[in-house]
Amino acid sequence: VNVASMAGALRQLSPDRQRQFSDASLDLPTLQALVAEFESDVQAGTHAAKGWSNSNYGMSKLAVIAYTNVLARREAGMRVNACCPGYCDTDMTSHRGPRPAEVGARTPVKLALLPDDGPSGTFWQDEMPSVW
């Protein structure tokens, strides 16, 4: 179970970039190259013009979700999913999140306890599959 965020939604990218990250043939070397390209374009100040997000945090979570999909395809015998726990009341959020941590933990726990024939390569929030 990979913990990501709704901040990693594909909609933060241009349609062309969305296709690159959601391509069913995306592999780890290609994903790593995309992330490196984002980093380079941010440093050059050209990221927005090239279809990238303005959010480093969002891009990091998007990469986690994309990696989840790559790993799920590569490891067919495993259940590999990503989830968003929500904006939780924790030290990490300086206790600004409205969601109690125990509620945020429900989705990753549910995913960790999936049966062997459960879904893989999916993104979840609020204890159910969600649109990436």
Side-chain angles (χ1 to χ4, degrees), residues 15 17 21-22 25 37-38 47 49 51 61-62 67-68 70 72 82-83 89 99-101 110 121 124 128 131:
R17 294 288 184 194
F21 279 89
S22 62
S25 66
E37 182 182 355
F38 169 70
H47 63 286
K61 296 306 181 179
L62 187 144
Y67 176 67
T68 299
V70 168
C83 67
D89 178 8
R99 180 176 287 204
K110 181 175 185 168
W124 291 57
M128 62 182 63
V131 175

Side-chain angles (χ1 to χ4, degrees), residues 68-82 111 114-124:
T68 299
N69 293 333
V70 168
L71 191 57
R73 286 191 301 273
R74 193 173 75 192
E75 303 295 338
M78 294 174 55
R79 304 297 100 213
V80 185
N81 296 287
L111 291 172
L114 284 173
D116 290 344
D117 63 347
S120 190
T122 58
F123 178 71
W124 291 57

Side-chain angles (χ1 to χ4, degrees), residues 100-114:
E102 56 271 15
V103 173
R106 289 178 186 163
T107 300
V109 168
K110 181 175 185 168
L111 291 172
L113 298 175
L114 284 173

Side-chain angles (χ1 to χ4, degrees), residues 13-81:
L13 300 174
S14 71
D16 286 340
R17 294 288 184 194
Q18 290 178 29
R19 282 188 285 281
Q20 288 178 301
F21 279 89
S22 62
D23 188 321
S25 66
L26 181 69
D27 59 14
L28 185 56
T30 305
L31 176 58
Q32 290 170 320
L34 285 167
V35 170
E37 182 182 355
F38 169 70
E39 291 173 9
S40 176
D41 290 345
V42 167
Q43 289 176 345
T46 60
H47 63 286
K50 293 185 176 182
W52 298 109
S53 171
N54 283 320
S55 170
N56 289 327
Y57 177 79
M59 283 301 301
S60 73
K61 296 306 181 179
L62 187 144
V64 167
I65 298 167
Y67 176 67
T68 299
N69 293 333
V70 168
L71 191 57
R73 286 191 301 273
R74 193 173 75 192
E75 303 295 338
M78 294 174 55
R79 304 297 100 213
V80 185
N81 296 287

